[in-house]
Amino acid sequence: MSRSVRAGAEDVLVTQGAQQALDLIGRVLLGPGAVVAMEEPGYPQARPLFRSLGARIVPVPVDEEGMDAAALPADAALVYTTPSHQYPLGTPMSLARRTALLDWASDHDAVIVEDDYDSEYRFSERPLEPLQSIDRNGRVIYVGSFAKTVLPMLRLGFLVPPASLRSALHSAKQLTDWYGDLVTQGAMAHFLDEGLMARHLRRATHEYAARHELINSTLNREFTDWLAVVPSAAGLHLCAKLIAPVDLEAVRAVAARSGVELGWLAESCDTLPAQQGVVLGYGMVDPARIADGMRRLAEAFRQVSSNGADVQAGAALR
């Protein structure tokens, strides 16, 4: 949990991952036809969950300062955002945007879900305060998990609701699965209380910073004909937007044949035409293989780009 979120034990609701936290929030706050405002591009696993509860998703654009509060739909009951480390772009929400978002939620009687996605690993500047720490009107539900910091298979997450929603969310949790896995929760509590989590995060952040820098520097050196890196200083992935007319599906296929897998920016978009780019995760990649993987990816871009140029030249000759 972020050190900037101040909460007592009675304020924290333990869940089976962040996905269950979102499900509980949706069950308590959303009815059929309710509007949920989500970042575009944004975290793709949240959309089908909210839609399964009957909600209507309205995409809200994201720029270098984060979600644009001025573009929020007036009838939104819920706003889902990843302000500390926007997924997938990786940029943090500016203080001005945070303030505007909180003011908007207060004026429109809406609730903000602050998903603290991947923000524990920060490599440079001091992070901004979480939305919930500067929320004066009880509008923010803080959501986090231990999937990226410890182990995904633990299925441990948590939410910190405002006082007005605490009872309803606790009741929804109890109806869903009572208390979850108390053995695993106890082990995690011990891990936190003994200071082992803080020690682990310091060591892991140092390791991931080196991977981040290697991929970032390689993209800015070897891929400038095709991609523009989105500046990021945290998390376990980097995003780069496409700046040249390259067939990314073909790049993906060529890269896969050489053993390189990558994600698409388009998979995080809900509107068409989707934004184009790549998402490179490095959380589970052997550091010794990163340089070779980036070399193979660059070769895939060169091969597809060359083929595309040949096709265009042949069409011109005809």
Side-chain angles (χ1 to χ4, degrees), residues 27 35 38 70 76 95 97 209 248:
R27 290 177 185 277
V35 173
M38 293 191 62
L95 181 58
R97 287 282 176 84
L248 286 181

Side-chain angles (χ1 to χ4, degrees), residues 29-193:
L29 294 175
L30 301 177
V35 173
V36 176
M38 293 191 62
E39 296 166 328
E40 176 75 6
Y43 183 58
Q45 280 76 14
R47 292 194 195 99
L49 188 154
F50 291 137
R51 284 190 173 120
S52 73
L53 298 173
R56 179 169 64 89
I57 306 300
V58 176
V60 178
V62 175
D63 59 23
E64 65 277 2
E65 288 192 72
M67 174 183 269
D68 184 3
L72 287 165
D75 56 348
L78 196 70
V79 179
Y80 174 85
T81 180
T82 52
S84 296
H85 180 243
Q86 203 278 333
Y87 188 87
L89 299 180
T91 52
M93 186 182 292
S94 69
L95 181 58
R97 287 282 176 84
R98 291 166 186 251
T99 302
L101 178 55
L102 289 170
D103 290 343
W104 183 94
S106 181
D107 291 342
H108 291 77
D109 194 26
V111 173
I112 301 168
V113 177
E114 176 182 15
D115 190 341
D116 198 17
Y117 187 91
D118 242 7
S119 69
E120 293 88 352
Y121 301 119
R122 187 160 293 276
F123 314 130
S124 58
E125 76 275 7
R126 180 179 178 275
L128 292 167
E129 293 293 311
L131 279 172
Q132 193 178 69
S133 69
I134 58 175
D135 176 21
R136 299 293 177 262
N137 297 302
R139 293 291 167 184
V140 179
I141 303 174
Y142 183 93
V143 172
S145 88
F146 299 103
K148 298 296 180 69
T149 54
V150 182
L151 197 63
M153 66 182 63
L154 284 177
R155 300 308 304 150
L156 271 181
F158 58 90
L159 62 85
V160 183
S164 61
L165 295 174
R166 189 181 303 148
S167 177
L169 286 165
H170 274 265
S171 295
K173 167 65 175 174
Q174 190 174 39
L175 287 171
T176 302
D177 68 352
W178 288 83
Y179 303 107
D181 184 350
L182 296 180
V183 175
T184 303
Q185 293 176 29
M188 179 58 68
H190 178 76
F191 191 66
L192 292 167
D193 291 341

